């Protein structure tokens, strides 16, 4: 084998090992990726119980029920569908009914979303881009969401950020 052939063999072997390592890393990360879904998307996809995902939408007015030991139940809606959520922990300070939230967790066998993380919007003009896009797509977006200081009844203030 000539010197050029040995060098080519070493380079191709190194590239093969690198490709296998990259494939293994990407395969391992695939299980930990959590996608954003609205209640309508969750119903359409028939997400199985126990599969983790992010659920986003608006907290339904009148649905917030606080229980013992920091247990909280509420519903998240996107205008077309509503999904009940159970959470145990301290809610963000900005969490309230009619506000945009993103919860991370999984559905249980009875169809209740068991959240282990709840995120609320952080200021008067912010709404997660995915939530705003989903509302626009479903025809529930109002132009006054984008105007700071404007508030429609039972809906969040704010628009999208860059």
């Amino acid at each position: 084998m000539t010197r050029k052939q040995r060098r080519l063999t070493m380079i191709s072997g190194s590239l093969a090992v690198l490709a296998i390592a990259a494939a293994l890393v990407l395969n391992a990360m695939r299980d930990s990726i959590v996608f954003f879904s609205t209640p309508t998307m969750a119903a359409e996809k028939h997400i199985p119980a126990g599969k983790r995902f992010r659920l986003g939408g608006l907290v339904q007015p009148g649905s917030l029920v606080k229980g013992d030991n920091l247990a909280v139940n509420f519903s998240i809606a996107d205008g077309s569908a509503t999904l009940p959520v159970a959470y145990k922990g301290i809610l963000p300070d900005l969490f309230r009914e009619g506000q945009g939230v993103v919860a991370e967790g999984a559905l249980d066998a009875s169809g209740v979303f068991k959240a282990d993380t709840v995120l609320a919007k952080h200021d008067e003009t912010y709404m997660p881009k995915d939530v705003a896009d989903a509302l626009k797509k479903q025809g529930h977006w109002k132009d006054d969401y984008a105007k700071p200081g404007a508030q429609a009844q039972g809906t969040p203030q704010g628009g999208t950020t860059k």
Side-chain angles (χ1 to χ4, degrees):
M1 195 184 287
T2 67
R3 188 176 194 171
K4 189 175 185 179
Q5 290 174 331
R6 277 191 303 232
R7 191 178 314 143
L8 186 59
T9 303
M10 289 283 278
I11 290 173
S12 62
S14 298
L15 288 175
V17 168
L18 185 63
I20 290 170
L24 290 173
V25 167
L26 291 174
N27 189 38
M29 287 175 55
R30 181 179 52 160
D31 293 337
S32 65
I33 294 174
V34 181
F35 295 101
F36 175 92
S37 296
T38 63
T40 300
M41 291 166 59
E44 290 172 355
K45 291 180 184 177
H46 303 291
I47 297 173
K51 180 168 173 67
R52 291 185 57 78
F53 67 100
R54 284 190 179 142
L55 177 68
L58 304 175
V59 178
Q60 267 313 99
S63 68
L64 183 62
V65 178
K66 295 184 179 182
D68 295 333
N69 297 327
L70 301 175
V72 180
N73 293 314
F74 57 94
S75 296
I76 293 181
D78 62 1
S80 300
T82 303
L83 196 59
V85 178
Y87 175 67
K88 188 169 184 173
I90 299 172
L91 290 170
D93 290 338
L94 297 174
F95 180 92
R96 59 186 170 270
E97 295 176 344
Q99 296 287 71
V101 296
V102 176
E104 188 173 330
L107 289 170
D108 67 4
S110 63
V112 175
F113 186 79
K114 298 288 187 179
D116 52 37
T117 304
V118 174
L119 307 170
K121 70 180 198 169
H122 72 283
D123 71 14
E124 294 299 317
T125 60
Y126 176 76
M127 180 182 296
K129 182 174 179 0
D130 295 334
V131 173
D133 290 345
L135 288 173
K136 285 178 185 178
K137 182 178 177 183
Q138 294 168 1
H140 297 288
W141 181 260
K142 295 181 182 170
D143 288 334
D144 61 351
Y145 286 167
K147 297 176 190 168
Q151 182 166 1
Q153 262 186 347
T155 58
Q157 299 176 21
T160 60
T161 60
K162 295 178 187 174

